[in-house]
Amino acid sequence: MAKLGKRTRAAREAFAGKDNVTVEEAVSLIKGNSNVKFDETVEIALNLGVDPRHADQMVRGVVGLPNGTGKTVRVAVFARGPKAEEAEKAGADIVGAEDLMETVQSGKIEFDRCIATPDMMPIVGRLGKVLGPRNLMPNPKVGTVTMDVEAAVKAAKGGEVQFKAEKGGVVHAGVGKLSFDEAKLVENIRAFVGAVSKAKPTGSKGTYMKKIALSSTMGPGVSVSVDNAVTE
């Protein structure tokens, strides 16, 4: 078994025995034990009592974090004419139609969010095998297939986070940067947990939200009290 470095051992010792803490305690613990030279992302993982292989148990949605993500989001928009101009004015990084489709098909994907007007979906649909696995496929359920291109671009740039249950019923996302004030991180975390809570599918039986864990990019995780995190 590989030996742990001093910093990793110290961080794990600091987290030892601390389970089901409040969101505030978890954030304080994570911030107080970061020892890397870059601004880590604070990550959340929720273990849900769902089986996303069943359509009536899929958890998917979007939430606007009140304090943003701290990340620069590159946005691509499939649109033509006035809607393409609207996207550019709103701050989209890449705008196109067939030309953008060809770029994506070539394997060049230089964006983090993809938005499309409804009339572009026959073109975007051809990219399902490329965009789908990367969770980039535009979807009306999360507001990325829309005629209100300006609002969608600004939301993506302003801290909107999409979430989707992965295999095993786990939802994972970044909810801010470690440099954020503790109060702002707590607010973001509660907003995210609240959105996932509201997205409970009709097919979910028994306990919906089983476990919540927080961590920084390079740090160990700490479990958070579900009752404390859900403020509904």
Side-chain angles (χ1 to χ4, degrees), residues 61-183:
V62 62
V63 56
L65 298 182
N67 302 297
T69 63
K71 291 178 61 179
T72 298
V73 179
R74 300 167 300 173
V75 178
V77 177
F78 282 88
R80 288 194 182 98
K83 287 299 174 181
E85 294 176 7
E86 181 182 324
E88 291 173 351
K89 290 179 180 179
D93 299 275
I94 307 169
V95 180
E98 286 85 358
D99 55 336
L100 180 52
M101 178 190 70
E102 292 173 0
T103 299
V104 173
Q105 287 178 326
S106 72
K108 191 176 181 181
I109 302 175
E110 299 180 333
F111 51 86
D112 309 297
R113 183 71 62 85
C114 187
I115 296 165
T117 54
D119 59 300
M120 288 285 99
M121 288 311 292
I123 291 175
V124 179
R126 303 178 200 176
L127 304 173
K129 292 183 179 179
V130 181
L131 299 178
R134 294 173 172 82
N135 201 27
L136 290 172
M137 193 68 181
N139 189 309
K141 292 182 179 179
V142 293
T144 48
V145 177
T146 177
M147 288 300 289
D148 194 349
V149 174
E150 179 181 2
V153 172
K154 289 183 176 179
K157 290 280 189 179
E160 188 180 74
V161 175
Q162 295 181 9
F163 59 86
K164 181 180 179 181
E166 302 169 358
K167 186 178 180 180
V170 175
V171 170
H172 176 269
V175 288
K177 290 292 185 178
L178 211 59
S179 59
F180 284 16
D181 290 342
E182 289 188 16

